[in-house]
Amino acid sequence: MRSMVKKLLCCGAKSFAKTAIPEEGRVRVYVGNDRDTQCKLEMEADFLNHPLFEDLLRLSEEEFGFSYNGALRISCEIDVFMYLTHLLKSGDPSVHYIDLHDLISKFYSESNN
């Protein structure tokens, strides 16, 4: 089921018009560890200020460098990214007290159950 949702999200994301501007308060990002399989998604711009996203952006800078064209590139698995954005949207207070490594571990422990 998760892979089907991921495919739908990615297929829908690839249909973004190159000249279209995201809605106010949203930003486009490329998500994925491999440039060939990255998905282009939109997210709330406020999320970029969260410490977990700052950590992701630091990792992405190490992976892709600081120079890019278009959307930000975030180096993480798409499922982990979706999990993080879900937690932030849900208002779960635990997301403010967790570091990136622990979040990823929690994601894999929950997805294996």
Side-chain angles (χ1 to χ4, degrees), residues 45-110:
D46 290 342
F47 290 170
L48 293 173
N49 294 324
H50 194 279
L52 290 171
F53 269 104
E54 290 175 6
D55 291 343
L56 279 177
L57 290 173
R58 271 190 227 99
L59 290 175
S60 300
E61 180 184 359
E62 293 171 12
E63 178 76 22
F64 299 119
F66 223 18
S67 177
Y68 59 88
N69 283 329
L72 290 172
R73 298 185 190 281
I74 297 180
S75 178
C76 80
E77 293 184 27
I78 297 164
D79 291 336
V80 173
F81 177 86
M82 300 301 289
Y83 177 69
L84 173 57
T85 57
H86 168 75
L87 285 176
L88 291 172
K89 287 178 187 177
S90 73
D92 184 343
S94 69
V95 77
H96 298 288
Y97 304 103
I98 192 168
D99 69 9
L100 186 58
H101 177 74
D102 291 339
L103 175 94
I104 292 170
S105 297
K106 182 179 175 183
F107 167 77
Y108 284 113
S109 68
E110 288 182 8

